[in-house]
Every structure is written in structure tokens, then in C-alpha cells.
Amino acid sequence: MMGDAKRADSGSSDSGDDAVVGNVNKHLVYPPGYTGKPKKGHLIFDACFESGNLGRVDYITEHEYDLFVRPDTCNPRFRVWFYFTVENVKADQRVIFNVVNFSKTKSLYREGMSPVVKSTSRPKWQRIPSKTVYYYRCPDHRKNYVMSFAFCFDRADENEVYYFAYSYPYTYTRLQVHLDRIEKKQLNFFKRELLTLTVQQRRLDLLTITSPENFCEDEKRKVVFVTGRVHPGESPASHIVQGFIDFLISNHPIARVLRDNIVFKVVPMLNPDGVYLGNYRCSLMGFDLNRHWQDPSPWAHPTLHATKQYLMNLHSNPWLDIDFYVDIHAHSTLSNCFMYGNIYDDEDRFQRQAVFPRLMCNNAEDFSFANTAFNRDVVKAGTGRRFLGGILDESSYCYTLEVSFYNYFNGLSANPIPYTEETYTRIGRNLAKTFADYYKLSPQMVPKPTAAGAQFKEKEKTSLSKRKSNRVSATSSSSSNGNGNSRSSALSPVPKPKSRDYRF
Ligand SMILES: [Zn+2]
């Protein structure tokens, strides 16, 4: 992770992506030919911190900079996640940042997605308004898709540092701090174990949440196994996992009845090195771990290898039934929260796969059954969902839970609602509550959906068999958007900033 402390190399838009190695390190960007001392307004870019990603900055004018995403370590094909800081700004300095080397073309940026920002005096992440963000094919960059956004550095105080990211970050350290805090409470229904260490010696945590009597092997127990963050740039997955864990260890009556009846196993972060390094898709060694479930290697994919081995041991334990496996991801082209499931030749088993997503619909206004799809693509054979679907008992259910990097339609308002950290966390709670519905635990405790919500959900329920295809119906069409609302509404800006807010 060596940084480039040299002066900006300006003007050359032609050096390929291979030129981008390592993150910028307190990188001071001067105008070309400038020889004097650095001044306020000569921006300093930095990404040498946890989950940071910014590979290169080109000065275009005082008001415009080209930014290059640093490719995933050992895998130049993936360039999506970015997370960097800017400081040494001039008061009211207006800039345009162009992110010029994304590896994906289809993106929610087309629908109005925008990066998130925070600053020293405003530590809560928020989305930059859609109206200041442009996504277009740029002739200056080999016709690559470029995402440009305008921003005003409104405060020039010495300590004001501005942070920009692709989505709400959630670092490895944040997870460790959170788990440490829970551990200190010494809850008798929460156990934290080390499954293995990563290549860079980080922890692969395994959590068990269940009432203490369920730890003994005297009768059959049901197991729900949840994993997240195999793809390190999909930070919303961590917010969901945290919501799931926090709900399950809470005093909520549904949480208690869930703990009494089910053994929850959670691997919150399957790819800690990738998260730490600021990768989008891969591990330190450049592997997409979600394509290696069939034959993970203990040295090349140690976290996956350990998780799979642990799952296989559970599977062979006569006292335990793995009923559910849910792997949590974030989606870069679709709206809402939804699931992918498997297709089985046994029609009855296949039909039963739809039950849980339908129940989730009743609990979560942002969950879309319309986007939920079932497939058996060859390309997905190495995913956790597909692999485990092939070996677990026929009474088990394996899903990928996806959430949009951007927004959801709730069927009540015409405009989509951009996700926040809070609404991502809420998905985790709703996921947990849905297990109570599935197992019919204290159904009287579960809040009923509103009349309008129920009506809307009814509309969504189309025949499952229609969706039984070899292609993922939702991803094959760029115009599908969760609930069939019109696309144009996705372009409306986020709510107006408050008085202490940025001047966008
Ligand atoms: Zn993913």
C-alpha cells in the first residue's frame, strides 16, 4: 500500500489502469508548472487508511480533478469501491471530481445514485444530492463511463477533513469494536469464536446466538446460518448483519423467543482482508471468494475454507439441522432488498423456496418479491448459496440476500427512498423477525402490515413459476426496478439539506 507522495502528474489522460498501484498518500496536487510553496486550495488527497481506495489524481483545472479508483489487490478487473479524504481546501472552493476508471458500466448512478460524504464537523455520512451527480460515457477516457460530481468545500478550518465514499463504509475495525463491546456484556446466549486467521492475520469471527440450554446436545436444534461481506465493497451488507446481531441479542420479546428456539450462527465478515484493503470484490490475493465454495484452498482462501469446514461439521452433527443459509450482499444495479434462491428439480422443494421471501415482504416495506429470482446459472455454481443448496438436506433453504446500493420503492410514495445506514440496519432486524414468522413463534407479537402495505404486496405476488428460468429475470433487464414504478421518479433529489449542512 505504498503511496505516491510525488507531485501530481497532470494532463496525461492516457496512462492505462495498470498505472494505478497503491493508494494515494497525503498526495498534494499542484497546478502544472507550479513551483512555489503549497497554498490553501492545493488539495491534499489521501486514501492510506482502513478500507481506503483512491489510486491516482490528475489535475485538470483548479476546479476539476480526474480520480482513479485503485483496482482490487491482485485483480485489476475490479475498480468500483472508493473511499478517500480531501483537505487543505480554500473556503467556498467549488470542485468537480470525475471518477474515470470504473470497471462496471451498468450502475445505479444512472438512476440517481450519488457518493456519500462526511467531514470532521459533520461526522454523519450523507448522500450528495443526485442533482449534482452525472454519469455518462466520456470521449476523453476511452469512452469509459465517468461519474462526475460537483462539491463545495464550505469550511476551510485547518482541521476540516472531507471524506468521500462509494457507499456508507463499514470497516473491519468497526466490526471488531462492536463485537468486543458485545463480548464485554458477558451475555450467556452469545458466544464469539475465532474460526481462523486471514492471510494478513485478521480474525474470522463466528458468532453463536442462542439460549444457553441450546448449547447442549440433548435434542435436535434448528440452525440458521448467516454470512456477510464476502464481497468487501458491499458495505451495506455489514450494516444489515449488525442490525441482525443487535436485534437477536436484544431484550425484544421476539428476539427472546427466537433465541429459545433456534441456534443462530453468524460469520459477519467473510473477507476481512478485502474489507481492510478497500477492495470491491476480491480477497487480498485477488480471488472472488464467492466463486470458490466448491473447492476452497486452505492457503489461498482460508476464510472460506474454514467457514465451509465448520458448516460441513454442523451438517454432519446429528443434533443439528441447518434449516437456512443466508449470504448477505449489496447490488449495484437494482433497487430494493430482495433474494436470490435456487431452482430444484423437485417442484415441491422449489415452491417452498418462495415462502421465506414472501414472509420477508410482509415485514419489510423495502423488500421486493418482484426482484426476487431463482436461478441455476453455471457462473454462480461456486457461490455459497448454490453450493450449499446442493449438499444440505432437502428441507433446507439457501438464499443470497441482496440490497440496493441506492434506494427502494415502498409502494406508498411515488418517489424511491434512498437507503441510509439506519434503513440498512433495519433490514437486519426485519430478517430476524421473519424467522419468527416462518417458525410461527409468538405470531401475536409480530406487527401486522398496514392496509396499504398489504395491498401493495398483494400486487407484487405474481406466479413464482413465471420466474423459474435459467437467467435471473431481475438482472437481465436494466429497466426493472423493484416494484414496477416508473424510472423517472428515481431521479428526484434527496431531502433538502438543513442549515448546518453542506452547500451543495
Ligand atoms: Zn456480492
Side-chain angles (χ1 to χ4, degrees):
M1 307 290 288
M2 295 298 292
D4 172 13
K6 291 198 304 273
R7 289 189 161 205
D9 158 22
S10 64
S12 93
S13 59
D14 203 31
S15 29
D17 302 322
D18 45 350
V20 182
V21 195
N23 282 328
V24 292
N25 183 3
K26 294 285 180 192
H27 180 45
L28 183 52
V29 181
Y30 294 95
Y34 183 84
T35 50
K37 280 189 177 161
K39 287 196 285 209
K40 274 274 190 193
H42 290 157
L43 301 183
I44 297 174
F45 292 81
D46 187 46
C48 279
F49 51 86
E50 194 179 348
S51 292
N53 185 317
L54 184 67
R56 172 177 146 193
V57 181
D58 286 357
Y59 180 100
I60 306 298
T61 70
E62 187 189 342
H63 301 290
E64 186 171 2
Y65 301 80
D66 279 359
L67 309 182
F68 293 74
V69 174
R70 190 214 76 226
D72 279 13
T73 51
C74 306
N75 198 329
R77 282 173 55 218
F78 296 102
R79 303 176 308 274
V80 176
W81 172 260
F82 59 84
Y83 181 16
F84 60 90
T85 63
V86 179
E87 56 195 301
N88 198 39
V89 306
K90 216 157 54 181
D92 302 322
Q93 185 173 1
R94 287 187 178 273
V95 295
I96 293 173
F97 288 152
N98 310 309
V99 182
V100 299
N101 69 335
F102 284 119
S103 55
K104 282 177 84 90
T105 54
K106 247 175 86 174
S107 164
L108 281 161
Y109 285 130
R110 285 183 189 172
E111 322 299 337
M113 186 171 83
S114 56
V116 295
V117 63
K118 72 172 184 177
S119 73
T120 313
S121 67
R122 287 154 293 192
K124 189 172 167 54
W125 287 104
Q126 58 178 286
R127 288 184 193 271
I128 290 171
S130 298
K131 60 178 187 218
T132 65
V133 180
Y134 307 89
Y135 188 64
Y136 55 101
R137 244 179 217 287
C138 182
D140 292 349
H141 294 283
R142 292 179 278 169
K143 291 196 174 165
N144 240 343
Y145 270 91
V146 167
M147 187 271 290
S148 296
F149 64 100
F151 191 79
C152 176
F153 294 109
D154 54 344
R155 291 177 193 191
D157 337 5
E158 209 53 60
N159 304 323
E160 192 77 351
V161 179
Y162 292 81
Y163 297 72
F164 300 91
Y166 178 76
S167 183
Y168 306 102
Y170 193 111
T171 62
Y172 167 76
T173 298
R174 175 167 171 183
L175 175 69
Q176 293 304 307
V177 167
H178 193 67
L179 296 182
D180 290 348
R181 233 179 255 157
I182 297 173
E183 233 182 349
K184 284 211 182 79
K185 294 181 184 170
Q186 299 194 306
L187 307 166
N188 63 358
F189 49 77
F190 176 90
K191 194 166 90 180
R192 177 186 185 187
E193 291 165 86
L194 177 72
L195 260 188
T196 191
L197 290 174
T198 66
V199 176
Q200 291 187 322
Q201 304 297 297
R202 292 189 184 92
R203 291 179 59 90
L204 178 70
D205 284 293
L206 167 80
L207 315 176
T208 305
I209 304 169
T210 192
S211 296
E213 49 277 17
N214 293 337
F215 283 108
C216 25
E217 297 186 337
D218 51 3
E219 59 178 282
K220 274 252 187 203
R221 317 278 182 201
K222 299 174 191 311
V223 177
V224 169
F225 206 106
V226 172
T227 55
R229 215 68 192 279
V230 68
H231 291 146
E234 295 172 5
S235 57
S238 282
H239 294 284
I240 297 176
V241 170
Q242 185 176 321
F244 185 71
I245 295 167
D246 289 354
F247 181 79
L248 286 177
I249 62 167
S250 73
N251 282 325
H252 195 291
I254 294 177
R256 272 189 253 147
V257 75
L258 281 168
R259 292 197 299 265
D260 285 347
N261 289 278
I262 298 158
V263 179
F264 290 94
K265 298 274 182 186
V266 184
V267 178
M269 195 174 275
L270 266 172
N271 189 352
D273 289 349
V275 170
Y276 186 90
L277 294 165
N279 283 355
Y280 177 64
R281 186 88 180 177
C282 299
S283 63
L284 163 75
M285 292 159 86
F287 294 109
D288 178 347
L289 296 178
N290 207 31
R291 294 291 180 275
H292 288 275
W293 274 88
Q294 282 149 318
D295 194 19
S297 132
W299 64 271
H301 326 106
T303 59
L304 199 59
H305 185 263
T307 306
K308 180 179 167 184
Q309 229 172 17
Y310 186 84
L311 265 159
M312 293 303 94
N313 285 340
L314 289 186
H315 181 49
S316 59
N317 184 332
W319 297 106
L320 299 173
D321 278 330
I322 304 174
D323 278 5
F324 284 88
Y325 171 72
V326 182
D327 191 26
I328 304 179
H329 290 250
H331 207 284
S332 64
T333 60
L334 293 176
S335 296
N336 291 70
C337 177
F338 56 95
M339 286 175 139
Y340 289 131
N342 294 324
I343 290 175
Y344 298 99
D345 291 329
D346 174 357
E347 185 65 22
D348 178 56
R349 183 178 186 188
F350 172 61
Q351 293 291 342
R352 277 188 286 116
Q353 303 285 308
V355 173
F356 191 86
R358 282 187 195 283
L359 291 171
M360 188 79 182
C361 249
N362 295 334
N363 281 329
E365 64 165 16
D366 54 330
F367 191 87
S368 164
F369 194 76
N371 276 3
T372 294
F374 301 83
N375 66 62
R376 50 170 34 144
D377 296 15
V378 175
V379 65
K380 301 227 173 148
T383 64
R385 162 185 53 101
R386 280 288 303 282
F387 173 75
L388 291 165
I391 55 164
L392 296 182
D393 301 341
E394 77 110 64
S395 59
S396 68
Y397 302 92
C398 299
Y399 302 102
T400 303
L401 177 73
E402 296 274 1
V403 67
S404 174
F405 268 112
Y406 179 30
N407 63 2
Y408 64 93
F409 295 80
N410 69 359
L412 300 173
S413 90
N415 292 332
I417 302 164
Y419 275 109
T420 60
E421 289 175 89
E422 290 73 26
T423 45
Y424 282 134
T425 310
R426 185 181 66 185
I427 296 171
R429 289 198 296 275
N430 288 332
L431 176 66
K433 287 176 185 167
T434 303
F435 286 109
D437 294 350
Y438 179 82
Y439 289 109
K440 298 190 168 58
L441 303 169
S442 296
Q444 72 276 11
M445 297 294 196
V446 181
K448 292 270 183 294
T450 62
Q455 216 174 35
F456 156 69
K457 297 295 177 195
E458 207 47 53
K459 265 195 290 178
E460 261 204 315
K461 291 175 185 168
T462 52
S463 125
L464 171 61
S465 54
K466 251 166 68 184
R467 245 169 263 116
K468 184 177 180 179
S469 74
N470 284 343
R471 279 300 306 150
V472 181
S473 59
T475 53
S476 60
S477 152
S478 63
S479 65
S480 77
N481 72 358
N483 303 317
N485 297 358
S486 90
R487 265 285 130 119
S488 55
S489 54
L491 296 168
S492 55
V494 295
K496 285 216 167 66
K498 293 176 213 83
S499 54
R500 257 193 99 248
D501 217 334
Y502 306 93
R503 267 180 290 126
F504 289 111

